[in-house]
């Protein structure tokens, strides 16, 4: 890695995804200076998320190659572009794929009902920066696409200022990087999207990091019955540690799991259910195990391109509600720092999600293998 003054190109190592279903390749790239409204950051640690693998495996309709994946990271600001005022070199930040422009003309940022700021959504989906160009060049000078506005599988990256959540520098970046996606998404689905109340009953389908954070959030919210559902019973122990009161493997049930939850484990179903699998048949089961009259089911998992959900309309006519969430409804720049503060105070522990650690950007493929193993919740790669 070369040293440089602010504003000059930086040569560094990055993992480049050259095509779908191909292992990423460690390459030396050039990261160009940040332009107006942009921030160049040094990535300290990056956590692997299933969304990265979803794109790498060719399931993402917006997936572009070659690109630099990664969107769950802890970083330090290296330099800023023209007009940037909210962060400065040396600040600690978490890049957020859901930006927050905070402009008075943005009806999304001004509304308490959503966090879906569309300010840079179009260019972000095209794999470029807001001005329509890229900041990554390979050794031959050819462009490399950005990913989710973050591209944190690189020692340095460039992100929009409105994607930077400035956090307390006392927080360990190799830990609070988890607030960049999965853990925030699960917690927010409970607290923001569904607003789970005290004494509620909850079912959680899929016990990865997102599903477990749903359980953790539901426990904090005061749910009295939390049913954890997964086909891998190895995950039941940590689910119980985080607050699950019941664990069930659908393979052990001789009827559809929704009929078991709504009929055997409960009389009328659960107040809230959460799909954290991305599988459409599970989304249906999650809805149909909800309580007649008021049950709410939240879709968190991202389904593969082209898949559709279905249920009998009668399920909705009889009072069930189907909802979805992105980044748990958190407004990134204003609310992610609050999660970090809660972690620093000791009332929001996240250490248990980090099951694998690696050193050096070149170990990212090993982290991917760990994520595929079934025993990994979050693999963190420190650069």
């Amino acid at each position: 890695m070369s040293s440089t003054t602010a504003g000059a190109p930086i040569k560094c190592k990055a993992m480049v995804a050259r095509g779908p279903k191909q292992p990423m390749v460690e390459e030396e790239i050039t990261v160009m200076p940040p332009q107006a409204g942009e921030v160049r950051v040094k990535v300290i640690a990056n956590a692997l998320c299933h969304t990265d693998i979803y794109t790498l495996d060719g399931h993402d309709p917006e997936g572009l190659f070659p690109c630099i994946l990664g969107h769950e990271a802890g970083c330090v600001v290296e330099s800023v572009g023209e007009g940037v005022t909210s962060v400065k070199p040396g600040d600690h930040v978490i890049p957020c794929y859901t930006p927050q422009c905070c402009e008075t003309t943005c009806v999304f940022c001004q509304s308490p009902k959503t966090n879906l700021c569309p300010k840079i959504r179009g260019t972000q989906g095209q794999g470029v920066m807001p001005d329509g160009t890229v900041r990554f060049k390979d050794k031959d000078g050819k462009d490399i696409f950005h990913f989710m506005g973050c591209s944190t599988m690189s020692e340095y990256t460039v992100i929009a200022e409105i994607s930077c959540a400035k956090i307390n520098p006392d927080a360990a970046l190799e830990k609070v990087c988890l607030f960049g996606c999965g853990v925030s998404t699960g917690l927010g689905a409970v607290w923001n999207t569904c607003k789970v109340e005290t004494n509620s009953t909850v079912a959680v389908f899929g016990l990865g990091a997102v599903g477990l954070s749903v359980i953790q959030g539901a426990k904090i919210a005061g749910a009295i019955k939390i049913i954890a559902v997964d086909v891998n019973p190895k995950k039941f122990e940590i689910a119980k540690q985080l607050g699950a009161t019941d664990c069930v493997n659908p393979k052990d049930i001789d009827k559809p799991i929704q009929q078991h939850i709504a009929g055997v484990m409960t009389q009328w179903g659960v107040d809230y259910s959460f799909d954290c699998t991305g599988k459409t048949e599970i989304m249906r089961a999650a809805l149909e195990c909800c309580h007649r009259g008021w049950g709410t089911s939240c879709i968190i998992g991202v389904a593969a391109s082209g898949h559709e959900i279905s249920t009998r309309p009668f399920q909705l006519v009889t009072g069930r509600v189907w909802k979805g969430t992105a980044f748990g409804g958190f407004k990134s720049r204003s609310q992610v720092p609050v999660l970090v503060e809660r972690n620093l105070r000791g009332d929001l522990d996240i250490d248990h999600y980090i099951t694998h650690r690696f050193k050096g950007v070149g170990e990212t493929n090993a982290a991917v293998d760990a994520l595929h193993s079934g025993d990994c919740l979050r693999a963190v790669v420190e650069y």
Side-chain angles (χ1 to χ4, degrees):
M1 184 192 315
S2 63
S3 61
T4 181
T5 57
I10 292 178
K11 291 188 182 298
C12 70
K13 295 176 183 177
M15 298 302 291
V16 180
R18 287 286 172 184
K21 304 184 187 300
Q22 299 177 24
M24 291 175 286
V25 181
E26 182 181 353
E27 299 183 18
E28 182 178 83
I29 66 164
T30 299
V31 183
M32 306 305 290
Q35 299 303 299
E38 298 174 2
V39 178
R40 186 164 61 186
V41 299
K42 176 179 173 59
V43 182
I44 304 302
N46 181 77
L48 265 289
C49 174
H50 282 283
T51 305
D52 298 315
I53 310 307
Y54 169 82
T55 299
L56 187 61
D57 286 347
H59 300 309
D60 184 355
E62 288 188 348
L64 298 167
F65 299 92
C67 71
I68 295 173
L69 300 171
H71 64 287
E72 196 171 289
C75 309
V76 177
V77 175
E78 179 269 339
S79 59
V80 300
E82 180 184 350
V84 173
T85 59
S86 62
V87 295
K88 64 184 184 304
D91 284 346
H92 289 203
V93 299
I94 293 176
C96 296
Y97 69 91
T98 299
Q100 184 184 4
C101 75
C102 299
E103 295 178 6
T104 57
T105 55
C106 179
V107 296
F108 293 85
C109 283
Q110 295 306 314
S111 172
K113 297 178 181 179
T114 186
N115 63 334
L116 297 179
C117 173
K119 180 75 172 181
I120 58 175
R121 179 66 185 88
T123 50
Q124 190 168 303
Q126 295 165 15
V128 295
M129 295 302 291
D131 68 355
T133 63
V134 300
R135 303 290 169 266
F136 303 128
K137 304 283 185 180
D138 67 13
K139 62 181 177 57
D140 298 320
K142 295 180 179 178
D143 291 350
I144 302 173
F145 287 112
H146 294 251
F147 175 70
M148 294 179 70
C150 298
S151 291
T152 51
M153 291 184 186
S154 172
E155 292 173 329
Y156 286 85
T157 187
V158 178
I159 57 181
E161 178 186 14
I162 64 173
S163 299
C164 286
K166 180 181 175 181
I167 64 168
N168 191 326
D170 291 339
L173 290 172
E174 70 276 10
K175 179 170 67 174
V176 297
C177 61
L178 300 191
F179 286 126
C181 183
V183 172
S184 297
T185 299
L187 295 173
V190 175
W191 299 340
N192 303 325
T193 307
C194 290
K195 297 179 173 59
V196 171
E197 310 96 343
T198 300
N199 295 327
S200 298
T201 56
V202 172
V204 183
F205 292 77
L207 302 181
V210 174
L212 291 172
S213 62
V214 169
I215 290 173
Q216 184 177 8
K219 174 69 172 179
I220 294 171
I224 56 171
K225 187 178 187 67
I226 303 173
I227 302 170
V229 185
D230 203 289
V231 294
N232 182 357
K234 293 180 182 178
K235 297 182 177 181
F236 290 164
E237 185 55 40
I238 188 170
K240 291 176 182 177
Q241 292 172 16
L242 291 174
T245 57
D246 302 87
C247 297
V248 59
N249 183 343
K251 292 182 178 179
D252 297 335
I253 307 302
D254 61 359
K255 62 178 70 175
I257 186 64
Q258 55 265 49
Q259 294 178 16
H260 182 71
I261 293 174
V264 177
M265 302 185 77
T266 67
Q267 183 178 5
W268 294 105
V270 293
D271 299 317
Y272 300 95
S273 70
F274 299 84
D275 167 70
C276 309
T277 69
K279 297 180 180 179
T280 55
E281 67 273 18
I282 304 300
M283 296 174 188
R284 178 171 186 165
L287 175 77
E288 295 179 358
C289 78
C290 279
H291 202 293
R292 180 185 180 92
W294 64 73
T296 297
S297 186
C298 183
I299 295 174
I300 305 176
V302 178
S305 176
H307 287 209
E308 297 181 349
I309 55 175
S310 65
T311 190
R312 291 187 304 124
F314 191 69
Q315 292 287 331
L316 303 178
V317 170
T318 50
R320 296 168 190 84
V321 176
W322 228 339
K323 305 184 77 170
T325 192
F327 197 50
F330 282 116
K331 291 183 182 290
S332 55
R333 288 203 288 167
S334 59
Q335 294 184 306
V336 167
V338 176
L339 294 175
V340 172
E341 291 300 324
R342 290 189 62 175
N343 177 257
L344 285 172
R345 290 198 306 268
D347 63 359
L348 185 57
D349 185 25
I350 58 174
D351 291 22
H352 44 269
Y353 295 111
I354 304 174
T355 55
H356 295 69
R357 294 181 182 272
F358 299 88
K359 193 74 173 178
V361 67
E363 288 298 299
T364 302
N365 280 331
V368 172
D369 291 340
L371 200 62
H372 280 307
S373 70
D375 297 321
C376 177
L377 295 177
R378 274 296 186 267
V380 173
V381 184
E382 297 181 45
Y383 299 169

